[in-house]
Amino acid sequence: MNDKHNLPRLSLGCLGGTVSMQAGLPGQGVTPQLEGNALLAGVPQLGTLARITTTSLGLLPSASLTFQIMLDVLNWARGEVERGAQAVVLTQGTDTLEESAYFLDLLWPFDAPLVMTGAMRAASQPGHDGPANLLAAVQVALTAESHGRGVLVVLNDQVHLASHVRKTASLAMAAFESPGWGPEGGVVEGRAMYRRPPLLRKVLPPPRRCGHRVALLEACLDADGALLQAIPTLGYQGLVVSGFGAGHVSAAWAQAMASIALDIPVIVATRTGSGPTASASYGFAGAEIDLQRKGMHMAGSLCPRKCRLLLWLLIGLGNEEALPSWLAAR
Ligand code: ASP
């Protein structure tokens, strides 16, 4: 029998999402309702693995999370580790998990794991995956080899790096992938098994200011330039364009973006969902060689949404000059 006092200390923070959702009345849609203690009570074996303290950080659908909320979550999680927690597990909705995980990963200064999880089926549905995902997340958080890997996303018994993970299915149980990379590991018989050693991590300090905004626009066939041309007048301080193929836009967009790039950083990523942008292959107007000559940055393998978070944090530090080295490291 485990002596309770010898068990590792783990902190569980809960933000809402489907993992915490149930229907108020039969036939009604599900909404976030379950606080941390209720989630914990659904997985009694957790008490044999760790001394877990729970904190309710919010009961939100993840579409309504904000940068400020995630900075507050970061402060809370840092405080937990500084006060002796060996690992932190965070539950939230899956809709924005690929973004919030990367946001926190860029700022997570510890070797101690911060593991994020959620669920695809609400707590009131048969086959609810929340308890299994929560158990797996705790098991990953308690595995020694999880140290030094930053923020990890655990769902469906897979472990993904925050910098690679994407939600690629709207309702399927297997909704998360790391396209072009694959999961970092899996949960096998109660512990994380990794396919690779940890990557070298680069971490940012928290931003000094938060009021700025970075726009994200997607290129599409025969798109007009009205929104693009409005960007400078709307006060955005950075722009990410989710481009075609290997990071391309129309000749007309390239021209409009060139004048925007005179004033604010512009990143061009790929909207394809997998693979890097090119840097030296295509020579037409609106392709990567032209865009770089016009002062824009190619995203490499970083997806458009994650580019926006990186740029927002760098601008918040007044350190936009570091953008090329961050994109090169992805
Ligand atoms: N469908 C979402 C989820 O999986 C809702 C949300 O992101 O809050 O949790």
Side-chain angles (χ1 to χ4, degrees):
M1 264 268 282
N2 268 324
D3 176 358
K4 267 233 162 258
H5 296 286
N6 294 331
L7 291 177
R9 263 195 57 199
L10 184 140
S11 296
L12 171 66
C14 303
L15 271 169
T18 297
V19 66
S20 72
M21 291 195 198
Q22 50 190 17
L25 290 171
Q28 277 185 346
V30 296
T31 54
Q33 295 182 32
L34 303 177
E35 305 269 3
N37 284 338
L39 297 186
L40 204 56
V43 196
Q45 59 270 59
L46 287 175
T48 66
L49 302 178
R51 281 177 293 153
I52 302 180
T53 49
T54 63
T55 305
S56 286
L57 301 164
L59 268 182
L60 290 167
S62 71
S64 294
L65 295 173
T66 62
F67 290 158
Q68 188 55 58
I69 292 173
M70 295 321 295
L71 289 171
D72 293 344
V73 169
L74 175 76
N75 271 340
W76 166 81
R78 287 179 68 137
E80 293 301 297
V81 172
E82 279 155 8
R83 285 187 289 276
Q86 267 130 297
V88 178
V89 171
L90 194 59
T91 59
Q92 73 149 74
T94 59
D95 287 355
T96 59
L97 184 50
E98 64 187 275
E99 293 180 70
S100 51
Y102 183 60
F103 185 89
L104 292 177
D105 184 59
L106 288 170
L107 301 168
W108 185 244
F110 304 114
D111 270 353
L114 171 51
V115 181
M116 299 178 72
T117 192
M120 292 303 293
R121 285 193 188 144
S124 50
Q125 280 181 290
H128 175 40
D129 52 332
N133 285 340
L134 180 56
L135 177 60
V138 169
Q139 289 167 333
V140 169
L142 296 175
T143 301
E145 290 77 20
S146 298
H147 281 241
R149 293 178 191 268
V151 176
L152 297 167
V153 171
V154 174
L155 281 111
N156 204 29
D157 279 344
Q158 291 185 326
V159 187
H160 296 272
L161 287 187
S163 50
H164 295 129
V165 72
R166 292 187 194 179
K167 187 175 186 181
T168 55
S170 56
L171 290 164
M173 296 293 275
F176 284 81
E177 288 179 79
S178 295
W181 181 264
E184 196 63 4
V187 183
V188 181
E189 296 185 324
R191 61 194 316 275
M193 303 275 283
Y194 289 98
R195 302 162 64 180
R196 304 173 263 257
L199 296 175
L200 253 189
R201 297 187 63 229
K202 274 171 68 152
V203 179
L204 291 168
R208 288 195 293 271
R209 63 191 178 94
C210 293
H212 55 291
R213 290 171 296 130
V214 174
L216 169 57
L217 293 181
E218 182 162 295
C220 20
L221 187 67
D222 200 20
D224 68 80
L227 284 177
L228 194 55
Q229 273 147 15
I231 293 288
T233 59
L234 293 173
Y236 287 98
Q237 289 177 36
L239 169 64
V240 177
V241 172
S242 181
F244 304 112
H248 302 157
V249 297
S250 67
W253 269 42
Q255 218 177 346
M257 286 159 63
S259 65
I260 296 171
L262 295 174
D263 298 319
I264 61 175
V266 178
I267 306 178
V268 184
T270 172
R271 66 175 201 171
T272 60
S274 178
T277 52
S279 59
S281 297
Y282 287 92
F284 58 85
E288 72 279 1
I289 296 173
D290 178 44
L291 297 174
Q292 289 172 100
R293 272 201 203 115
K294 289 184 159 99
M296 289 164 244
H297 305 271
M298 301 309 293
S301 298
L302 201 61
C303 87
R305 296 180 282 276
K306 295 188 205 273
C307 284
R308 174 174 166 269
L309 301 171
L310 173 63
L311 184 52
W312 188 84
L313 285 171
L314 288 173
I315 292 172
L317 287 165
N319 195 12
E320 297 92 308
E321 301 73 45
L323 183 60
S325 70
W326 277 86
L327 293 175
R330 298 292 101 199

